[in-house]
Amino acid sequence: MALVIIAIAMLMRVASSRCAPVCHLGYPTHGTEVSGHDEDLIHFSLNLEFLEAEMFLWNAFGYGLDHAAPELVNGGPPPIAPQKANLDSLTRNITGEFGLQEIGHIRSIIRTVGGFRRPLVNLSAANFAMMMDEAFGHKLHVGSLHSALLGYVGANSFLIGYLSKRLVAGLLGVEDAVVREYLYERAAEVVWPYNHTVAEFTSQISELRNRLAKCGVKC
Ligand SMILES: *[C@@H]1O[C@H](CO)[C@@H](O)[C@H](O)[C@H]1NC(C)=O
Ligand SMILES: *[C@@H]1O[C@H](CO)[C@@H](O)[C@H](O)[C@H]1NC(C)=O
Ligand SMILES: *[C@@H]1O[C@H](CO)[C@@H](O)[C@H](O)[C@H]1NC(C)=O
């Protein structure tokens, strides 16, 4: 199950970035730095950052923010049913790196617009299983993870303040490219315990993601 969790986590990142808009960076000549509206959207993103940080850290190291960066937790409850994943060395290294990057993202957000208590996140295997069932169309349940991971793309298209845009563009960065390549190299591998390949998962999850985000409309 642990391998599935990390595979799904990585697939979700690809799926969630599929229709990422191209941001034109740089400082505009006028406008506010961070509008109140942007703060709301970035705070929304902070929920995702907490989720991702906990997931990657736990998968890679077997502990989360409570151990890695307790000052960021701000009294929030620990995640439900997180697990260390059974990963090969390369995958663990990549995953751990992502976890550490998420800590940096949370710090940037808190520095820019302030923070809040870590929300309760449910990282149980049952939740991941539910998401997969939905991607493959065998059940109608909606898991909690995927809807959360859709946040960036949607939020980014509404941002007004340029500082916010730069911040969010930074958050959308390097990880997705790494994950894409990683998955591409493993496209033909079967994802245990499912009888489906990485390529099938990528495609199903991308479709699920597009259905949920109404990609063409939003981006
Ligand atoms: C993963 O990181 C460890 C510690 O830095 C290193 O010894 C190991 O070679 C890395 N594994 C791979 C496959 O790069
Ligand atoms: C976590 O999610 C799973 C699957 O949705 C659910 O069965 C379980 O009750 C949840 N755990 C808690 C403590 O809410
Ligand atoms: C797994 O999938 C392959 C290819 O779709 C199929 O040929 C095989 O029968 C499946 N095995 C099981 C146990 O479902």
Side-chain angles (χ1 to χ4, degrees), residues 89-90 92-93:
S89 170
L90 174 65
R92 188 177 56 246
N93 288 1

Side-chain angles (χ1 to χ4, degrees), residues 60-139:
F61 305 125
Y63 55 78
L65 291 173
D66 287 300
H67 180 83
E71 72 280 6
L72 301 178
V73 166
N74 204 2
I80 295 164
Q83 290 179 60
K84 186 173 194 292
N86 180 18
L87 303 173
D88 63 73
S89 170
L90 174 65
T91 310
R92 188 177 56 246
N93 288 1
I94 294 175
T95 307
E97 189 58 37
F98 285 175
L100 298 175
Q101 285 178 20
E102 298 304 340
I103 290 178
H105 295 168
I106 293 173
R107 286 220 169 90
S108 325
I109 290 176
I110 292 176
R111 202 167 43 237
T112 311
V113 294
F116 49 75
R117 275 157 44 103
R118 172 184 55 191
L120 180 62
V121 296
N122 185 341
L123 296 178
S124 69
N127 249 346
F128 285 93
M130 256 166 51
M131 180 175 69
M132 287 304 97
D133 292 345
E134 191 183 351
F136 279 80
H138 300 306
K139 279 188 191 173

Side-chain angles (χ1 to χ4, degrees), residues 190 194-197 200:
V190 172
Y194 295 98
N195 187 27
H196 292 285
T197 61
E200 285 176 283

